[in-house]
Amino acid sequence: MACSIVQFCSFQDLQSARDFLFPQLREETPGALRRDPSKTSNWEDDSWGAWEETEPQEPEEEGNTSKTQKNSWLQECVLSLSPTSDLMVIAREQKAAFLVPKWKHSDKGKEEMQFAVGWSGSVSAEEGEYVTSALCIPLASQKRSSTGRPDWTCIVVGFTSGYVRFYTESGVLLLAQLLNEDKVLQLKCRTYEIPRHPGVTEQNEELSILYPAAIVTIDGFSLFQSLRACRNQVAKAAASGNENIQPPPLAYKKWGLQDVDTIIDHASIGIMTLSPFDQMKTASNIGGFNAAIKNSPPAMSQYITVGSSPFTGFFYALEGSTQPLLSHVALAVASKLTSALFSAASGWLGWKSKHEEESVQKQKPKMEPATPLAVRFGLPDSRRHGESICLSPCNTLAAVTDDFGRVILLDVARGIAIRMWKGYRDAQVGWIQIVEDLHERVPEKGDFSPFGSTQGPSRVAQFLVIYAPRRGILEVWNTQQGPRVGAFNVGKHCRLLYPGYKIMGLNNVTSQTWQPQTYQICLVDPVSASVKAVNVPFHLALSDKKSERAKDLHLVKKLAALLRAKSPRLDSFEAEIKELILDIKYPATKKQALESILASDRLSFSCLRNVTQTLMDTLKNQELESVDEGLLQFCANKLKLLHLYESVCQLNTLDFHSDTPFSDNDLAVLLRLDDKELLKLRALLEKYKQENTKATVRFSEDADGVLPVKTFLEYLEYEKDALSIRKINEEEFVALGSFFFWKCLHGESSTEDMCRTLESAGLSPQQLLSLLLSVWLSKEKDILDKPQSVCCLHTMLSLLSKMKVAMDETWDSQSVSPWWQQMRMACIQSENNGAALLSAHVGHSVAAQMSSSATDKKMVLDADAEALTDSWEALSLDTEYWKLLLRQLEDCLILQTLLHSKASPPDAKASSPQSEPLPRLSVKKLLEGGKGGIADSVAKWIFKQDLSPELLKCAKKERDVENPDEPREGIARSFPEVSEVEIDLGAVPDLLHLAYEQFPCSLELDVLHAHCCWEYVVQWNKDPEEARFLVRSIEHLKHILNPHIQNGIALMMWNTFLVKRFSAATYLMDKVGKSPKDRLCRRDVGMSDTALTSFLGSCLDLLQTSLEADISRDEVQVPVLDTEDAWLSVEGPISIVELALEQKPIHYPLVAHHSILCSILFASMRFSLKSVKPLALFDSKGKNAFFKDLTSIQLLPSGEMDPNFISVRQQFLLKVVSAAVQAQHSKDKDPSAEAANTHWKDLNWPVLAVDLAHHLQVSEDVIRRHYVGELYSHGADLLGEEAIFQVQDKEVLASQLLVLTGQRLAHALFHTQTKEGMELLARLPPTLCTWLKAMNPQDLQNTGVPIAATAKLVHKVMELLPEKHGQYSLALHLIDAVEAMATL
């Protein structure tokens, strides 16, 4: 085993965190602009135009620079990962992102841990302050039932302002401390560790904060209690909002570091006690020859700083009130101890009111003075500047990096440099401490040390990890003077994370029971978005050149190189492998070598067998005491597997062919079917084969039943002398089954010999049955093409059933056999229904055959009547289960055949939801799909084919032989745009009719229409631009005959999908006062203006359908939903129809009220009306009733309406009539103008306007008169004559038409300016001439009306005007004028 770097976590979306922290690196791609089309109206032109105009200078250099910036951004961030891997912090300047792990499926289908952004935001509280350092400290849980995971994780952040702030995982500020006015340089933490042996001083937990000229240490216990109190305070404040508990103060020490120019980093070593010799040496150096020495050495806290002058400084602070060793030193230090005692930290910010908080922020808290602490000694190097220091886990060594590209190893106790590495500029360092596993120890000859036995203490090894970003290499070194034991190419943009602490809050008692899963060091790679851990085996610390383990590792590497050789020499290849594996001493390493040999796909089977056999023989010839039992058993198991592989290969290669002819009669007898049943089965399978066009991938080894020996060994294993199959995926399971049974199923191998071989190898019959069925069910296409395989399956199943342990002889005769239940479950779960149906018939036949033989045997042994009755009960019980399964599989096969069939127009454009393939069915899926599962599957197929509701109705009836084109008419009506094109229905009508017969209850027409209606509206909701989906949904809704179902479905559609968009459209149109533009529609309603118009029309149809259904509810009984006998055991979600029947009846007036509003909105959008505010047409009662539950009783407008509202409503309806006539007139002139608006062509807007006038208390006759006037204004005189009959007040109408006639004559006389016209004008009466001059012909929509039509209009006016009318004489003059003009 060698060093390895393993990925243990990845990032779900690291780019989002980068874009948040570095907005300038955000990629502006066309795809990003496409995400929100509502925010940019013309994004296509803007984005692509900008790209075309841009001319980059020096594209290669800029491209490389931008690429480097996008990859190296992590180097500029403050990064911290919790030792328990449950939180990561990435911060830059004033922003921070907190990432939390989540378990998700990777691309390979396996679950892996991925970091996702849990919180992001600004952590800066003061202007101009930046983040300089961060720590993620997990805090231990104090609950007894804790399993070792931390209770929560605290984030500690240091700022340039000097503040240290503490946050929760969700970004909630717990505590803010201002301990020094300089910026925070570094945060470091130390947690409790159990001393390895009694001589090591027990260290306390602490948090150390480094400033440019001071260091502050916060006691770990005090910090732990304060953070817990703050977190509880946050929870209570969030729950009640009024409690304010002052958390306990922090206890800290503050030391002012002297005699040092600059400090960059530090390490807090902890409390140390000098040995007597070191005590005397220190006293002599400081106090000279006459220095006094006390008997008890003082306890001191040691700190090491790196920077410049000195390059490395060593500081020692005396602990507590212990007297100093030297008398003159005591005088100097006595004054210092007074300010170094524990004191309460000041500067609480976060637990005061807003007013108090503002005042505190304006006035910074009082600073405690620092206790001066002079450097005792250091490593003076004026040119060298230290950059970082990293303390080893056992506090004995420290690695220091400098600006010369060196990594220096320090001895902390002696204060000297003991090793230096060169060529590591900008290096990042960390440590790994490995504890020896006692079980891996193997005693060597002549080794009598306590470490040579498995009972001695565990040894500990330390390795230094150095990451050189400039070279993109990660190295692992054995300390102190050991060699390099590992090197990895990892990229140039990574970050090495070494926290140096674990969980805070443990002590010498709790740490013994806790075993938290913490990492020691990890590497964050932003390029691959992964987090990797470095694994180092302990034995690499054993640097003895004569070590047997090192020799074994060399042999393993040599073996690996030999197996990777491109062209191995076959003659000596096997001998070299044997020699290498026999030379290996350690059993664990020898097992590893054998595993690598067996896993090689370049070695032949004979070579693998010979090598394994040679190793086995060698182990047997050794003394029993020196032989490792695990290795011996491993070799024996692998040999058994190799022998089994060889036996199966020999059986598959034998030339075995059955000469027995196979006929249909033999198949009928074999399956116990009569001729009629066999013909039906054949017909069903033939239709299934024709419609099943799913492409299947076939591999050559699967088709031939070949399996490599390497793969075979990976699939099988021995456990306690029993052969079992490993946990492998379905494809691998099928491959193993094909290796065993594929030749047998084709009749090319002896079935009896294969079963005997597999049984003797130790495979259980249940496992063999699973393998056999997996092969049979997965190879459906090949099986259906070769009916003779049914006979082979029958033989194989019979042999497996007769094996021992297959069927328990003591099984209760009145219960179901687990053996057959296993087979039925496989058929139920299979999605290959054809193969499942055949295997069920075979299983039924074999079960019946075995039951009858067992019954005969029992009758011979015991002719007792009671025993005979018991056997028949057991037979009938199992038989009923088989019959039920056969019926279910037959139904599922018919349904799957229907879902595979296709019927669509030749050039029909299918949308993306319609192009998605349908999932395959199985009996299990149908049983778990609930009562509506079958209809739901068919509805999805109908949506995919876009079949019309008429076709479903036609297929329900028996097709008439004399009129075979009846279904074609129905489908042609559903595709008006391709009605003249021949549409190939294929077998769809027949399959639909067959499905109706098979499922008379589940596919009842109302039920099917309800599911289709729901499927279409669901798909429309996914893409509201597909307005035709909603239109087709309403069509299916209208085809539902039962008003109870119709009402329930309509109400569910309204509440679930429509009302929110409908209300949004209402408020939008009321806000803009006209039909909104496309951009506003997309922003507020989520669809384009065209789709919104269609949506409002569909809403109107739905509301009208609901009103009609409510009228006929009382006349029709509530339907009873039945289920077919074969599907009575279905379980799952409640069906759509059942939900519909549970809906309350609608409140008719409220729905009518919404229908009026919908009509107004529809008309406004349809004709693009302006100056229309829909809600302004209703009073307060009417407005308040909108968008409420349609089943509730609301207070609606009643009685006489305010005349102002009636006036506004009348103006709106007149606009609608004018726009409708205008649209019809323009359509007559240009038929292509309305080609796209096929949904609205059948609406009679003038009639709808009159109906609205009735509900809005507007005079209907006014609307009718206006309609007549608009028709004549557009020159549609014939339609106007018809519309006159509906007008009540014809006298007023005549006056209006008289004005219109005058406008026509005025245009003819004054605007044509002909000589004859002028002469005629001179002969007219002055009264008429004056009146004509007052007319405005511009009000006419069509001025090109013939004079004959105008003459007819004048005579019509004369008929309508009474003789006593004031304008009657004017009309007479008009008749004369028109007749005179006609003669011109």
Side-chain angles (χ1 to χ4, degrees), residues 13 22 62 169 217 262 284 703 754 835 879 979 1129 1176 1381:
D13 189 7
F22 295 84
E62 288 190 1
E169 303 99 324
T217 60
T262 58
S284 300
M754 183 63 71
T879 304
S979 58
S1129 58
M1381 290 183 65

Side-chain angles (χ1 to χ4, degrees), residues 380 1140 1150 1349:
L1150 183 59

Side-chain angles (χ1 to χ4, degrees), residues 817-855:
S817 170
W819 173 259
W820 297 121
Q821 185 65 20
Q822 177 187 353
M823 183 173 183
R824 285 193 291 266
M825 284 302 298
C827 296
I828 286 174
Q829 296 173 1
S830 174
E831 295 179 355
N832 297 316
N833 300 287
L837 182 60
L838 280 177
S839 62
H841 274 291
V842 173
H844 181 211
S845 173
V846 175
Q849 177 183 345
M850 295 189 67
S851 298
S852 59
S853 61
T855 303

Side-chain angles (χ1 to χ4, degrees), residues 297-353:
M300 297 177 290
S301 293
Q302 183 181 5
Y303 305 99
I304 302 178
T305 62
V306 294
S308 61
S309 299
F311 158 65
T312 304
F314 291 79
F315 297 84
Y316 295 87
L318 295 179
E319 285 294 315
S321 57
T322 306
Q323 296 296 326
L325 301 177
L326 305 176
S327 60
H328 66 276
V329 175
L331 296 176
V333 178
S335 60
K336 299 180 182 180
L337 292 177
T338 57
S339 60
L341 298 177
F342 285 90
S343 58
S346 59
W348 288 90
L349 296 180
W351 309 107
K352 304 185 182 290
S353 64

